[in-house]
Amino acid sequence: MTDRIRIALVGAAGRMGRAIIDIADSEGAEVVARMDLNDPLVATNADALIDFSSAAAAESVCRAAATSNAALVIGTTGHSPKEKKIIETAAHKIPVVLASNFSVGVNVLFSLTEQAAKILGDDFDLEIIEVHHRLKKDAPSGTATTLTEILRRVRRSNSLRHGREGMVGAREKTEIGVHSVRGGDVVGDHTVIFAGNGERLELTHRASSRETFARGAVRAARWLIGKSPRLYNMRDVLGL
Ligand code: NAD
């Protein structure tokens, strides 16, 4: 491990915040500031600010990182278009990694999904199913949204179908189905279904621990420090 990095953490009392605190030392990082609701957000003395809080915190998070010239790693999901714009603007001044999922496996799933969609072509129907714990607030998950964006780009489709109920009629060819299941303590499962005539391909990733996201976020911070201001994603970090 090279030099220790100093991290300011937003959402420190949450599930992901606690996971980062647990693994920081073993990833060569020191959490120098732990912030949660009701704390003023600052990144003084930090090389990087890591955010796992809520989308509503985007503006304060960006301001805190930009003021201290700290690299910014955002793991929070569910941002509105306005909040995304704020993040993109901050990325003109500081380097930012915005990633809906920090696990290596899911980022390989992103690449495989793109590859499969290109190879299989328009005759395969596309559906995404995600499963998360009962306390998750946003739906569909940020990871499912990234998968959706990949499929939309490859298939040039704007037609999303979030769940089905009643006499919805036959499936449109261009439709991309997205389905969110909530329950128990599931850390995060994602399946992309490519359903054709006489065959079906399913790509599934299952996360069984938050540790993988936490380690990925700290690795992203280490990679990001000293990079040029720009909006990066986890595939940039992993070189995929
Ligand atoms: P959580 O609810 O357990 O924790 C969120 C924490 O942030 C809480 O302690 C809350 O009090 C705090 N918080 C909320 N609003 C805040 C604000 N404005 N300022 C400061 N603190 C604030 O949630 P979690 O499971 O830790 O997930 C947090 C976020 O990270 C969610 O958006 C989730 O979807 C996302 N997430 C991303 C990944 C990934 O790999 N990118 C993995 C897991 C979770």
Side-chain angles (χ1 to χ4, degrees):
M1 191 69 59
T2 50
D3 293 346
R4 286 180 81 72
I5 59 170
R6 292 164 303 169
I7 286 170
L9 181 60
V10 181
R15 281 174 288 265
M16 278 307 304
R18 293 193 306 266
I20 296 227
I21 290 164
D22 286 348
I23 59 86
D25 190 52
S26 64
E27 286 291 333
E30 186 184 349
V31 180
V32 294
R34 301 177 183 196
M35 295 161 281
D36 206 274
L37 271 182
N38 305 324
D39 293 321
L41 303 189
V42 287
T44 328
N45 297 327
D47 304 305
L49 186 154
I50 299 183
D51 166 45
F52 279 99
S53 60
S54 69
E59 190 164 7
S60 333
V61 162
C62 288
R63 194 181 315 117
T67 304
S68 298
N69 230 0
L72 175 58
V73 174
I74 301 181
T76 301
T77 58
H79 294 106
S80 66
K82 192 176 161 208
E83 289 157 349
K84 274 241 176 73
K85 190 90 213 146
I86 290 169
I87 295 167
E88 283 161 12
T89 305
H92 294 306
K93 183 157 187 251
I94 50 168
V96 180
V97 168
L98 173 65
S100 59
N101 199 302
F102 286 98
S103 92
V104 177
V106 157
N107 284 278
V108 172
L109 173 67
F110 291 154
S111 293
L112 293 177
T113 297
E114 181 167 353
Q115 202 183 336
K118 282 180 180 162
I119 294 170
L120 295 173
D122 292 349
D123 288 339
F124 282 72
D125 298 327
L126 307 175
E127 299 274 322
I128 296 167
I129 302 171
E130 56 103 340
V131 188
H132 280 85
H133 56 91
R134 62 170 77 91
L135 297 172
K136 183 165 178 62
K137 297 186 184 81
D138 54 320
S141 68
T143 304
T145 303
T146 304
L147 288 166
T148 307
E149 283 162 5
I150 291 168
L151 295 177
R152 283 174 66 175
R153 207 171 48 240
V154 175
R155 290 283 280 262
R156 295 189 181 81
S157 165
N158 268 327
S159 173
L160 293 188
R161 168 79 71 161
H162 292 281
R164 293 185 179 83
E165 188 194 25
M167 287 295 291
V168 294
R171 191 184 194 289
E172 298 280 342
K173 206 174 156 68
T174 56
E175 210 166 278
I176 299 171
V178 187
H179 312 281
S180 298
V181 179
R182 294 287 175 268
D185 60 356
V186 180
V187 172
D189 295 355
H190 292 87
T191 296
V192 184
I193 301 173
F194 300 83
N197 291 327
E199 61 174 327
R200 185 168 81 241
L201 171 67
E202 299 188 0
L203 300 176
T204 295
H205 177 272
R206 297 185 208 283
S208 50
S209 153
R210 287 183 180 82
E211 192 179 314
T212 180
F213 306 136
R215 290 194 188 280
V218 174
R219 279 178 206 163
R222 178 182 296 285
W223 178 87
L224 191 61
I225 294 164
K227 287 273 184 304
S228 317
R230 214 192 92 192
L231 190 57
Y232 301 91
N233 62 32
M234 197 56 187
R235 281 190 280 176
D236 296 320
V237 176
L238 296 171
L240 288 173

